[in-house]
Amino acid sequence: MRGTKKHVVTRASPSLAIVEVKPDDHKDAVPIEAPIVSSYNDQIRPLLDTVDRLRNLNVMREGIQLPTIVVVGDQSSGKSSVLESLAGISLPRGQGICTRVPLVMRLQRSSSPEPEIWLEYNDKVVQTDEEHIANAICAATDVIAGSGKGVSDTPLTLHVKKAGVPDITMVDLPGITRVPVNGQPENIYEQISGMVMKYIEPQESIILNVLSATVDFTTCESIRMSKQVDKTGERTLAVVTKADMAPEGLLQKVTADDVSIGLGYVCVRNRIGEETYEEARMQEELLFRNHPMLSLIDDDIVGIPVLAHKLTQIQGMMISRCLPEIERKINEKMEISVLEFNKLPIVMASTGEALMALMDVIGSAKESLLRILVQGDFSEYPDDQNMHCTARLAEMLNGFSDNLQAQSQVASEFLMDEIKILEECKCIGLPNFIPRSSFLAILSQHVDGIHAKPVEFIKEIWDYIDVVLSSVITKYSDNFPQIQSSIKRAGRNLMSKTKERSVNRVIEIVEMEKLTDYTCNPDYMTSWTQKTTSQQNFINSVLHDEEKPDYFSLTGFGNVKISHLRHYHAHLLQQAFDMKMRITSYWTIVLRRIVDNLALFLQFSVKNLVNSQFQKEIVAEMVDTRAGGGIERMLEESPSVASKREKLKNSIKLLKESKDVVAAIVDQNSGYGDR
């Protein structure tokens, strides 16, 4: 039988202590070192030191994952027992969920004979010692997760600095349970599974999947979860606990590998009761050497020392493989942080510097406005169509023109407005002359009918430009939050003044159309001549047609009702018809002239705003302390910018130090992972 040949521990690396086993006299056995230390060799040690230095620098705070051993398993699978066996540290033990928070165990070598042990959680540091570690962890867990049975995602970090302990980090997670019992929350499974997935999902994590020999591996929830993130099992190592409780068929379980554990299995016997770690390892050695079934399992996959050796080797290879990617991420993060830092405003030491910075902000904003409002260059805002200003202004002007010319006149029956005006404006004179006052009266009525539309249009235009101006000012003053509100207020004041001036000017443009009837546009005479060709036929239909039709078809007007005109004298009808044709021809020109005038005025006003008023008005307001400005405020950095500056400085410092740490070893160990 194989057990009769096994007299010494030979499963670990050459650096493991060789201990003679004397089953009949354990008192004479040489104390066994912590198993991880035993398997620690000079080839892997620099890699682990590098990761530990990165972890001490807290590079994970920058979103850079480090290779970490994550211990997962179903409830009561023996996870904590495996961890304490590996590290020689007593952890809470008992029924139900012992681990209720992520327990991050950071082991660090120390040359001091006196160990240093402390816990960190919720920004607190609690000192403890080897004898009271378990109680201290329980107390801290109660603070984090409450004194009940609930769990929390807030980590609890256990620091152990002592002689003979390696620089390594392991994370013990709560055992996975599907059915809440003994006062556990109803969603206990969702809480724990979410926590487990968070830790095992990073490709840098080494999954130490703890399985009890007493269960069918294929039914384990921890296996199902690990396979979700590590389908091939290339970063999953399985530890089979409680081998002494279910030895039958264990060899077939670990050799068949029905659950695809890429890094293989290690079968162990956990410490029982009050056994010392030395006694537990001796009993484990005897179990796998002498048990009729367990002794058939290959030496290479049994025992805590073998597990320690495998973990160290696997973590070493994982670190070596991840270092180039870690280096790339560090460089990428540092470039981003440096870029953000360089975008922050320069800390100004004098009013002169502040004035120069202010002028730079205003000058940059002015150039941007010139491009988008005057030149039609929207390359600065390619995807924001609202900032393609010349196109939007042209669309608004075209819409105004269409709306203005489509304005329907609220009129009485055909020619009645003209007849009423003529009757009120008649004077002593020849009957075939149209009084000029009557034409101006009709024109005034038409102008009054549309006078609100140009004013509404110009207000809409400046409301739009106000939004554009505010966006540009915000963009270029973002680095100066202490004065941004003042600059934006100055911009709003400028727009308010410009809008008021523009409204007054547009009212003048419209009112001028009432003063006289003039145009040099030849289209007027052409249109009037064409329209008056139907005058005599119209009069004949109204007064002399024996059939006395109710309607007359008139070019440009369609079928117009004429029955109501039969009791008027011919010369009045002729005058009214002539006036109708004149005002119709002239009104088309008036509307086009209003649109043209507004277009020219708009172009002039926008250009004047950008080239002249913008810089002058905003500078004047900013240097006027009575108006709430004052460039001296630029010397006072806002708390948010100061906080961002400090955060970026710390980030860049951390990343530079991390880069140096990685650079010192990445080339040296670039081929380790392939060996």
Side-chain angles (χ1 to χ4, degrees):
M1 190 173 180
R2 193 185 70 166
T4 59
K5 299 178 182 178
K6 193 187 316 184
H7 301 292
V8 294
V9 179
T10 58
R11 302 184 190 93
S13 69
S15 62
L16 276 170
I18 307 300
V19 181
E20 182 181 0
V21 178
K22 298 182 179 180
D24 298 328
D25 188 7
H26 289 172
K27 292 183 293 184
D28 297 333
V30 178
I32 298 178
E33 260 190 311
I36 292 182
V37 179
S38 303
S39 61
Y40 208 82
N41 60 57
D42 293 335
Q43 189 179 44
I44 298 171
R45 183 169 178 173
L47 295 172
L48 299 179
D49 286 345
T50 297
V51 171
D52 191 61
R53 283 196 289 272
L54 291 175
R55 191 170 278 111
N56 285 335
L57 287 170
N58 205 10
V59 74
M60 296 177 78
R61 186 178 63 195
E62 299 295 326
I64 297 172
Q65 297 294 332
L66 297 175
T68 303
I69 300 169
V70 181
V71 186
V72 299
D74 291 5
Q75 186 173 324
S76 302
S77 60
K79 298 182 292 69
S80 297
S81 297
V82 171
L83 270 179
E84 64 182 16
S85 295
L86 284 168
I89 300 293
S90 296
L91 299 173
R93 306 177 74 181
Q95 297 297 318
I97 297 180
C98 300
T99 305
R100 297 193 291 124
V101 298
L103 179 62
V104 183
M105 296 180 61
R106 296 186 60 182
L107 310 179
Q108 295 175 274
R109 295 190 317 280
S110 173
S111 57
S112 172
E114 293 297 323
E116 296 179 52
I117 303 174
W118 71 95
L119 296 172
E120 286 185 6
Y121 60 97
N122 295 347
D123 297 325
K124 292 172 59 178
V125 176
V126 178
Q127 301 291 332
T128 185
D129 53 40
E130 289 183 279
E131 183 180 353
H132 300 96
I133 287 177
N135 290 337
I137 291 174
C138 288
T141 299
D142 287 345
V143 172
I144 297 171
S147 57
K149 300 291 185 179
V151 298
S152 171
D153 194 22
T154 303
L156 167 62
T157 303
L158 171 63
H159 293 261
V160 179
K161 292 181 68 174
K162 58 185 286 191
V165 171
D167 297 311
I168 196 167
T169 296
M170 298 176 285
V171 181
D172 184 22
L173 298 177
I176 305 165
T177 178
R178 276 197 170 276
V179 181
V181 295
N182 300 326
Q184 293 171 352
E186 289 298 318
N187 65 340
I188 187 70
Y189 171 75
E190 287 76 14
Q191 289 187 45
I192 295 177
S193 61
M195 191 188 311
V196 169
M197 295 300 287
K198 172 185 172 182
Y199 278 88
I200 66 175
E201 193 167 11
Q203 293 300 304
E204 298 82 2
S205 294
I206 301 163
I207 305 171
L208 186 59
N209 208 321
V210 182
L211 310 170
S212 173
T214 61
V215 302
D216 180 358
F217 297 166
T218 61
T219 65
C220 291
E221 189 66 15
S222 62
I223 288 291
R224 188 189 68 81
M225 288 186 182
S226 62
K227 289 188 73 173
Q228 285 185 37
V229 297
D230 183 29
K231 289 182 171 55
T232 61
E234 63 180 358
R235 54 188 180 90
T236 301
L237 174 67
V239 183
V240 183
T241 63
K242 306 177 184 179
D244 51 332
M245 297 175 62
E248 188 173 352
L250 183 56
L251 176 60
Q252 288 72 24
K253 280 186 177 182
V254 298
T255 53
D257 188 22
D258 294 330
V259 290
S260 302
I261 302 296
L263 296 177
Y265 295 80
V266 177
C267 303
V268 299
R269 171 195 180 274
N270 289 337
R271 187 164 62 100
I272 299 174
E274 299 300 320
E275 286 179 344
T276 65
Y277 293 106
E278 291 80 5
E279 290 170 346
R281 296 290 68 76
M282 289 178 183
Q283 291 300 322
E284 180 182 66
E285 166 66 20
L286 290 172
L287 176 69
F288 286 108
R289 183 180 63 179
N290 298 327
H291 193 281
M293 295 180 183
L294 298 180
S295 61
L296 299 176
I297 302 175
D298 194 279
D299 287 353
D300 291 339
I301 61 169
V302 297
I304 288 293
V306 168
L307 175 61
H309 179 65
K310 279 183 177 287
L311 280 176
T312 307
Q313 295 292 328
I314 291 168
Q315 188 175 41
M317 286 187 289
M318 179 67 80
I319 293 171
S320 181
R321 189 168 66 196
C322 292
L323 276 177
E325 180 64 11
I326 291 173
E327 184 180 39
R328 185 193 68 78
K329 288 181 179 179
I330 289 174
N331 290 335
E332 184 180 275
K333 291 279 186 181
M334 189 161 71
E335 287 176 7
I336 293 173
S337 295
V338 169
L339 186 63
E340 286 190 37
F341 186 81
N342 290 337
K343 287 181 180 178
L344 292 176
I346 299 171
V347 178
M348 288 161 287
S350 67
T351 304
E353 288 183 5
L355 181 59
M356 289 180 64
L358 175 63
M359 295 305 296
D360 184 57
V361 169
I362 296 173
S364 298
K366 175 184 173 181
E367 290 299 317
S368 178
L369 290 170
L370 185 66
R371 287 192 295 272
I372 62 177
L373 281 172
V374 178
Q375 298 171 353
D377 178 1
F378 53 81
S379 56
E380 187 178 347
Y381 302 92
D383 300 321
D384 188 352
Q385 291 192 345
N386 195 54
M387 300 297 281
H388 301 178
C389 299
T390 54
R392 301 292 81 77
L393 291 174
E395 288 174 354
M396 294 167 75
L397 184 65
N398 291 337
F400 165 69
S401 177
D402 293 342
N403 179 265
L404 189 65
Q405 295 187 57
Q407 172 79 7
S408 61
Q409 297 295 321
V410 180
S412 56
E413 295 172 293
F414 189 66
L415 293 188
M416 290 309 299
D417 284 342
E418 287 76 13
I419 290 173
K420 289 177 182 178
I421 292 292
L422 286 167
E423 287 184 331
E424 293 304 316
C425 293
K426 62 186 176 183
C427 60
I428 300 174
L430 294 175
N432 60 337
F433 281 87
I434 299 176
R436 187 163 181 266
S437 58
S438 62
F439 185 86
L440 291 179
I442 286 288
L443 177 62
S444 181
Q445 285 184 356
H446 280 63
V447 173
D448 288 340
I450 58 94
H451 80 281
K453 287 188 174 293
V455 174
E456 292 171 0
F457 167 70
I458 204 65
K459 287 180 179 179
E460 181 185 356
I461 286 287
W462 288 116
D463 286 343
Y464 165 70
I465 295 176
D466 191 5
V467 173
V468 171
L469 183 73
S470 178
S471 297
V472 171
I473 288 176
T474 299
K475 176 180 178 179
Y476 287 97
S477 63
D478 245 0
N479 285 337
F480 301 93
Q482 65 272 48
I483 61 162
Q484 188 178 66
S485 60
S486 298
I487 295 179
K488 292 180 77 171
R489 183 175 62 250
R492 287 194 299 270
N493 291 342
L494 171 61
M495 292 305 301
S496 179
K497 295 175 185 176
T498 304
K499 187 175 181 179
E500 184 179 358
R501 287 196 299 266
S502 296
V503 167
N504 292 334
R505 177 58 180 154
V506 168
I507 290 174
E508 289 179 352
I509 290 173
V510 175
E511 288 296 313
M512 283 190 299
E513 296 296 343
K514 293 182 179 181
L515 299 180
T516 188
D517 47 340
Y518 171 78
T519 181
C520 63
N521 191 330
D523 288 348
Y524 167 71
M525 287 302 297
T526 302
S527 175
W528 174 73
T529 302
Q530 290 174 348
K531 292 179 186 300
T532 55
T533 57
S534 302
Q535 181 177 2
Q536 192 57 50
N537 289 336
F538 177 82
I539 299 298
N540 289 336
S541 293
V542 173
L543 299 178
H544 307 300
D545 194 324
E546 293 180 357
E547 296 182 1
K548 298 189 181 305
D550 290 335
Y551 290 90
F552 181 82
S553 179
L554 190 61
T555 303
F557 296 90
N559 286 331
V560 296
K561 189 175 182 181
I562 60 174
S563 57
H564 62 285
L565 301 174
R566 289 198 168 93
H567 62 278
Y568 291 104
H569 196 275
H571 81 270
L572 181 58
L573 291 178
Q574 289 172 346
Q575 286 182 320
F577 187 91
D578 187 33
M579 185 181 290
K580 184 73 171 180
M581 300 306 113
R582 289 177 185 275
I583 195 67
T584 302
S585 300
Y586 183 63
W587 185 241
T588 300
I589 291 172
V590 169
L591 293 179
R592 290 173 181 169
R593 187 160 59 203
I594 290 174
V595 173
D596 289 346
N597 281 335
L598 260 64
L600 294 174
F601 173 68
L602 176 61
Q603 288 284 84
F604 174 80
S605 300
V606 169
K607 194 170 183 179
N608 188 47
L609 171 78
V610 175
N611 286 334
S612 177
Q613 296 174 349
F614 176 74
Q615 184 166 326
K616 181 174 64 177
E617 293 281 343
I618 291 186
V619 170
E621 180 127 357
M622 288 302 300
V623 298
D624 185 2
T625 55
R626 295 171 302 175
I631 59 173
E632 291 81 5
R633 292 173 58 192
M634 296 181 71
L635 304 177
E636 307 166 5
E637 191 165 53
S638 70
S640 60
V641 174
S643 174
K644 184 177 182 181
R645 186 187 302 279
E646 188 64 24
K647 181 180 178 181
L648 287 171
K649 281 174 63 177
N650 292 336
S651 176
I652 293 169
K653 179 176 181 292
L654 182 156
L655 291 166
K656 281 182 177 178
E657 292 176 357
S658 300
K659 181 179 179 180
D660 293 340
V661 168
V662 175
I665 196 170
V666 70
D667 294 334
Q668 173 186 342
N669 295 277
S670 59
Y672 176 73
D674 300 327
R675 288 199 288 269

